[in-house]
């Protein structure tokens, strides 16, 4: 008798132990062993495929994040494959590729009812939760509510899908800044979020976009993805050069740096009744020229995360090949290399560092 070999893939275990990353602000990030979680009713167990390291993660680890100040289980930019379903799941199936929307809203408060789930009164975060209730996706497996998982279209690869959550933040910031059709837009900071602001503003119909940054390489990348102009942030005449390239005062400034200097620079670049969108996470309080803000009716708009609609818009941009993945992804590490991956992400913000949890070989 001739032995035969099954062509069926081996089942993925959903019980036993797994690896997961643990971040300790002002200390380090390391791996620990934990039980594979069991999805409760309405929840889904996902095997992680790719997970991005966010700037909020590196800032938290360095002790510079105003809200992430204690131990947490990172991983809020993620894509993976559904491996188990809790009771009552109707929209997803085992084997389906999904991406994570990590901000978990209650669905019942006034802001949720108004379509502003990002401002939910009870908002919590998968992968940014010091209570440790919502463990992040920087692990072999993670659990999420059904409504927080979005199917990935067949035409969108995993490297692109994992950037959708990151893109949704600029999509949201651009949307709440007003109608950008033909608008003059300045983007302060050309890291990952700044570059994705270029993508989002271009999608929204911006007429002219000028970017500033200290890194010439980042400025070049901003031009490649659609910025019309780019000015070194340390140029003594930076404001004059920005306004010259823009063709006049800005309608909107998207501040992805968000310190006192950049916020005051933003106000100086705006026209009367312009909008300053605070996109980056400020490390501390800042003083602004309030008499000018009052007299010119400058709108200072906070921008926090995104809604379900913003995720869908970002996913559509990715589906339409509008997300420049190769310009954004800098490196991919295995989960066992998480400390090195965080080190690179902290040392070089010119590209997104990814974690690929599945064991290789």
């Amino acid at each position: 008798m001739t032995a035969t070999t099954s062509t069926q893939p081996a089942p993925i275990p959903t019980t036993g132990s797994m690896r997961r990353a643990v971040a300790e602000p002002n200390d380090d990030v390391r791996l620990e062993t934990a039980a594979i979680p069991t999805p409760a009713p309405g929840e889904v167990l996902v095997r992680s495929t790719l997970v991005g390291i966010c700037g909020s993660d590196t800032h938290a680890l360095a002790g510079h994040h105003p809200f992430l100040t204690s131990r947490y289980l990172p991983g809020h930019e993620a894509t993976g494959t559904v491996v188990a379903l809790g009771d009552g799941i109707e929209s997803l199936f085992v084997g389906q590729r999904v991406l994570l929307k990590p901000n978990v809203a209650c669905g019942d408060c006034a802001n949720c009812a108004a379509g502003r789930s990002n401002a939910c009164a009870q908002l919590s975060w998968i992968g940014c939760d010091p209570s440790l209730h919502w463990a992040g996706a920087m692990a072999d497996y993670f659990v999420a509510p059904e409504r927080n998982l979005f199917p990935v279209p067949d035409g969108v690869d995993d490297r692109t899908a994992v950037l959708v959550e990151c893109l949704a933040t600029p999509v949201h910031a651009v949307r709440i800044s007003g109608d950008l059709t033909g608008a003059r837009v300045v983007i302060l900071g050309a890291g990952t979020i700044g570059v994705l602001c270029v993508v989002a503003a271009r999608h929204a119909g911006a007429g002219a976009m000028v970017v500033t940054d200290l890194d010439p390489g980042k400025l070049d990348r901003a031009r490649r993805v659609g910025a019309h102009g780019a000015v070194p942030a340390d140029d003594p005449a930076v404001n004059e050069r920005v306004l010259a390239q823009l063709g006049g005062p800005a309608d909107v400034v998207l501040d992805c740096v968000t310190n006192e200097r950049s916020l005051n620079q933003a106000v100086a670049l705006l026209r009367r009744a312009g909008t300053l969108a605070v996109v980056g996470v400020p490390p501390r309080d800042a003083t602004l020229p309030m008499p000018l803000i009052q007299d010119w009716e400058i709108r200072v708009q906070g921008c926090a995360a995104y809604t379900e609609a913003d995720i869908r818009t970002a996913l559509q941009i990715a589906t339409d090949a509008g997300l420049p993945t190769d310009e954004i992804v800098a490196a991919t590490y295995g989960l066992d290399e998480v400390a090195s991956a965080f080190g690179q992400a902290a040392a070089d913000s010119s590209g997104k560092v990814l974690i690929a949890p599945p064991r290789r070989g």
Side-chain angles (χ1 to χ4, degrees):
M1 178 181 292
T2 303
T4 59
T5 302
S6 173
T7 59
Q8 296 299 315
I12 297 173
T14 57
T15 60
S17 63
M18 69 171 190
R19 305 162 301 163
R20 69 182 184 188
V22 181
E24 296 273 5
N26 287 306
D27 193 357
D28 63 3
V29 61
R30 63 183 185 279
L31 288 184
E32 69 177 16
T33 300
I36 296 174
T38 299
E43 295 180 350
V44 177
L45 179 66
V46 180
R47 189 176 194 223
S48 299
T49 301
L50 285 174
V51 186
I53 298 176
C54 180
S56 61
D57 290 313
T58 57
H59 293 160
L61 205 61
H64 299 156
H65 197 288
F67 306 121
L68 282 176
T69 58
S70 59
R71 180 178 183 266
Y72 71 102
L73 305 171
H76 63 273
E77 303 174 0
T79 186
T81 302
V82 173
V83 294
L85 305 174
D87 291 341
I89 303 299
E90 298 179 353
S91 66
L92 301 172
F93 57 86
V94 172
Q96 188 170 23
R97 289 194 307 140
V98 292
L99 63 87
L100 175 66
K101 172 187 170 289
N103 50 347
V104 181
C106 72
D108 297 322
C109 70
N111 282 335
C112 285
R116 298 185 63 184
S117 60
N118 65 308
C120 170
Q122 306 297 325
L123 192 68
S124 57
W125 280 82
I126 297 170
C128 299
D129 181 9
S131 79
L132 305 183
H133 175 75
W134 291 114
M138 206 168 287
D140 291 311
Y141 300 88
F142 68 95
V143 160
E146 177 183 18
R147 66 182 181 274
N148 283 74
L149 296 170
F150 287 69
V152 177
D154 290 340
V156 178
D157 63 70
D158 291 331
R159 289 172 74 247
T160 299
V162 77
L163 299 176
V164 167
E165 186 272 347
C166 202
L167 174 59
T169 292
V171 164
H172 177 76
V174 163
R175 176 172 64 82
I176 66 175
S177 293
D179 183 4
L180 263 62
T181 304
R184 292 191 290 256
V185 178
V186 174
I187 298 162
L188 303 179
T192 299
I193 291 295
V195 165
L196 291 177
C197 279
V198 175
V199 173
R202 182 181 62 187
H203 178 77
M209 293 177 286
V210 177
V211 178
T212 69
D213 199 278
L214 293 169
D215 187 335
K218 293 181 184 179
L219 294 178
D220 289 342
R221 182 179 61 171
R223 291 190 190 94
R224 291 195 299 270
V225 303
H228 301 92
V231 180
D234 56 357
D235 188 309
V238 57
N239 286 3
E240 291 81 358
R241 289 187 59 187
V242 167
L243 294 175
Q245 293 187 21
L246 201 62
D251 299 297
V252 174
V253 176
L254 299 161
D255 187 355
C256 303
V257 178
T258 318
N259 56 32
E260 187 161 324
R261 182 175 181 275
S262 67
L263 290 165
N264 280 273
Q265 179 186 18
V267 173
L269 293 169
L270 283 165
R271 64 168 171 82
R272 289 177 179 267
T275 295
L276 162 56
V278 182
V279 183
V281 178
R284 61 188 64 85
D285 291 345
T287 300
L288 292 175
M290 295 307 298
L292 184 61
I293 289 172
Q294 179 272 324
D295 190 57
W296 280 30
E297 288 198 341
I298 299 293
R299 179 164 69 108
V300 179
Q301 174 66 60
C303 305
Y306 34 73
T307 66
E308 292 78 6
D310 299 317
I311 289 280
R312 286 191 288 269
T313 298
L315 186 54
Q316 188 60 55
I317 293 172
T319 303
D320 294 340
L323 216 171
T325 304
D326 290 338
E327 290 282 2
I328 295 170
V329 176
T332 302
Y333 289 78
L335 185 57
D336 291 332
E337 305 168 295
V338 65
S340 297
F342 266 73
Q344 175 167 341
D348 181 6
S349 61
S350 63
K352 175 66 65 177
V353 176
L354 305 179
I355 301 288
R359 293 179 175 88
R360 299 174 181 175

